[in-house]
């Protein structure tokens, strides 16, 4: 006899009864064959007892089948009798498969709920979606294009929408491009002493730039973003995941150049580490932003002269002297020197931490700060 798969789900005992009748065996006789009680055989046939692995082996040996045949028939029968799994289980799995729900709850971006429908609604509200399967779009008014938006990971999307949510909460004057260009000189005057960075958020607010810091979700590989609310209110968000003075000033100036060039109006400009590295295949807007940021950190002609004169032998005295001449903190110069020479170990001790200074005055979410906000009808803040 070969294994067979039943066409419909029924108790294995019915098939066993048919097999005994085909062989003209009584239940008592079959019980003797397999060395079990007549009661066990009767309860299996009547469906009162399930088939265990040991029973399946005994039935298989007596009837010339595989034990798996009986176990599969038993499993199919039990599954057929059980209630179907709630639809909310599959929906919850899809929700967590697509979005970083656990991290969003941990960060306080959404409130946890034991009700799957409520949790799903909160996640979709964060991303401004109507369903789990809907494509993410940062702005409903944005033109359709194959752009940076399509390369973003779910964790990056979650961070980006958190920045947008908080940006709505900031109250700033009307943006002035002329004012921002003038403010660059004021920002430059802060670059000698780390503590002076605390003034940067106020300077940007005064010229209508909504600046904020949002701690990234781990492993999200994101440095900053530039986008516009209603195409007229510029927003600059930094992750400050690398807590170094040179990274702060370079990344800030990079995003400000995007603002000055009106980048990020159709789709957000989301910068990852490779976007700030000066790779040969970078876009024109990233190239311009990187050049402006490098020039801001250290005038590049002076930087080139410094490298040409001293490479490869650099001294602390020369670095400090050059930094004073440039009116920059040595850590900022060290960062530019590392990029020029690709010697990432040079003067690392000067690249001091600055995040704790900036976050004291900037609207900050994470790094020990919690911002309580709610969603309005337009996905803004109430």
């Amino acid at each position: 006899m070969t294994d067979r798969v039943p066409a419909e789900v029924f108790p294995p005992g019915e098939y066993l009864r048919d097999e005994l009748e085909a062989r003209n065996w009584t239940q008592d006789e079959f019980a003797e064959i397999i060395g079990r009680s007549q009661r066990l055989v009767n309860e299996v046939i009547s469906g009162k007892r399930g088939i265990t692995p040991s029973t399946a082996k005994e039935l298989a040996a007596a009837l010339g089948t595989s034990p798996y045949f009986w176990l599969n028939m038993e499993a199919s029968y039990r599954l057929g009798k059980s209630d179907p799994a709630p639809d909310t289980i599959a929906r919850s799995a899809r929700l967590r498969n697509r979005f970083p729900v656990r991290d969003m709850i941990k960060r306080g971006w959404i409130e946890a709920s034991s009700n799957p429908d409520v949790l799903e609604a909160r996640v979709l509200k964060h991303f401004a979606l109507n369903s789990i399967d809907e494509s993410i779009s940062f702005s409903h008014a944005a033109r359709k294009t194959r752009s940076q938006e399509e390369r973003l990971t779910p964790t990056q999307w979650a961070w980006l929408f958190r920045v947008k949510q908080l940006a709505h909460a900031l109250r700033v004057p009307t943006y002035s491009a002329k004012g921002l260009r003038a403010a660059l000189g004021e920002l430059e005057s802060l670059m000698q002493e780390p503590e002076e960075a605390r003034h940067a958020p106020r300077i940007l607010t005064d010229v209508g730039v909504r600046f904020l810091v949002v701690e990234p979700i781990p492993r999200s590989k994101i440095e900053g973003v530039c986008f516009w609310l209603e195409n007229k209110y510029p927003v600059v968000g930094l992750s400050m995941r690398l807590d170094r003075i040179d990274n702060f000033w370079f990344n800030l100036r990079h995003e400000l150049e995007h603002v000055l060039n009106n980048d990020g109006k159709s789709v957000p400009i989301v910068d990852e580490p490779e976007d700030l590295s000066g790779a040969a295949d970078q876009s024109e807007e990233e190239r311009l932003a990187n050049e402006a940021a490098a020039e801001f950190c250290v005038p590049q002609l002076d930087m080139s002269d410094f490298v040409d004169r001293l490479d490869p032998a650099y001294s602390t005295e020369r670095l400090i002297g050059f930094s004073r001449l440039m009116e920059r903190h040595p850590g900022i110069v060290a960062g530019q020197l590392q990029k020029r020479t690709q010697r990432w170990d040079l003067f690392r001790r000067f690249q001091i931490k600055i995040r704790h200074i900036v976050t004291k005055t900037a609207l900050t979410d994470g790094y020990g700060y919690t911002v309580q906000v709610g969603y309005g009808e337009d996905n803004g803040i109430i």
Side-chain angles (χ1 to χ4, degrees), residues 133-150:
D133 298 319
E134 185 180 351
S135 298
I136 300 176
S137 178
F138 191 68
S139 172
H140 295 297
R143 58 184 172 84
K144 298 295 183 180
T145 178
R146 294 188 61 82
S147 65
Q148 283 186 322
E149 286 197 46
E150 297 183 352

Side-chain angles (χ1 to χ4, degrees), residues 165-176:
Q165 181 191 29
L166 296 179
H168 277 284
L170 289 169
R171 297 294 175 257
V172 301
T174 302
Y175 168 66
S176 167

Side-chain angles (χ1 to χ4, degrees), residues 165-202:
Q165 181 191 29
L166 296 179
H168 277 284
L170 289 169
R171 297 294 175 257
V172 301
T174 302
Y175 168 66
S176 167
K178 181 179 179 181
L180 178 55
R181 291 192 182 279
L184 294 179
E186 195 173 353
L187 290 172
E188 187 176 348
S189 69
L190 309 178
M191 298 175 71
Q192 295 188 66
E193 298 296 332
E195 294 77 12
E196 293 299 290
R198 71 186 187 275
H199 299 297
R202 174 192 56 79

Side-chain angles (χ1 to χ4, degrees), residues 109 155-163 214-216 222 225 237 239:
W109 297 354
T155 55
Q156 291 174 329
W157 272 119
W159 182 88
L160 180 56
F161 273 94
R162 181 60 170 176
V163 173
V214 176
E215 180 182 355
I222 198 165
V225 66
S239 71

